[in-house]
C-alpha cells in the first residue's frame, strides 16, 4: 500500500476530504519523526512501539571488491509490533 492509497482509506473511514486526511497523516508521521529525533519512544498500546536503536561501529566488506571497510556507528529507527497487531496479522 502506498501513502496515497493509505490517505484514500483514511479519508473514506474518517469521512474527511482527501486533503484533510493527507494533512492528518503527514502530521502523525512528522510527530513520530520528531519524537524519534529527540530520542523519545512513541508507543501505541496494542499496536506497537517506535524507538531509536544504536548500532555500534563494525567492519564490513565491499561486495564488489571484497575489500574490508569500516562502517560507522549510527542511530536507526526501529518498530516493535504490539500484541494486538501480531494477533490481527496472525
Amino acid at each position: 500500500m502506498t501513502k496515497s492509497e493509505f490517505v484514500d482509506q483514511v479519508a473514506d473511514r474518517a469521512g474527511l476530504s482527501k486533503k484533510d486526511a493527507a494533512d492528518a497523516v503527514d502530521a502523525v508521521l512528522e510527530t513520530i519523526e520528531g519524537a524519534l529525533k529527540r530520542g523519545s519512544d512513541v508507543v501505541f498500546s496494542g499496536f506497537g512501539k517506535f524507538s531509536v536503536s544504536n548500532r555500534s561501529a563494525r567492519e564490513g566488506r565491499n561486495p564488489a571488491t571484497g575489500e574490508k571497510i569500516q562502517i560507522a556507528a549510527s542511530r536507526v529507527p526501529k518498530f516493535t509490533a504490539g500484541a494486538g497487531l501480531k494477533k490481527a496479522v496472525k
Side-chain angles (χ1 to χ4, degrees), residues 1 9 27 40 50 53 59-60 63 66 69-70:
M1 174 182 290
Q9 286 193 15
S40 299
F50 295 91
S53 181
E59 188 176 271
I69 57 172
Q70 282 297 89

Side-chain angles (χ1 to χ4, degrees):
M1 174 182 290
T2 65
K3 182 178 176 184
S4 62
E5 292 169 339
F6 183 77
V7 167
D8 290 344
Q9 286 193 15
V10 169
D12 289 342
R13 290 181 183 209
L16 299 171
S17 69
K18 288 186 181 180
K19 183 188 180 323
D20 288 342
D23 290 343
V25 168
D26 287 340
V28 168
L29 296 176
E30 289 170 7
T31 302
I32 292 171
E33 182 180 325
L36 294 177
K37 280 182 182 178
R38 291 188 307 273
S40 299
D41 293 344
V42 179
V43 180
F44 295 104
S45 295
F47 182 75
K49 175 181 173 181
F50 295 91
S51 60
V52 176
S53 181
N54 292 314
R55 281 193 185 157
S56 58
R58 61 197 186 280
E59 188 176 271
R61 289 191 178 272
N62 180 335
T65 63
E67 176 186 358
K68 291 183 181 181
I69 57 172
Q70 282 297 89
I71 301 171
S74 62
R75 291 170 25 114
V76 294
K78 178 179 164 183
F79 176 76
T80 304
L85 181 59
K86 287 180 184 178
K87 185 177 179 182
V89 172
K90 191 175 185 181

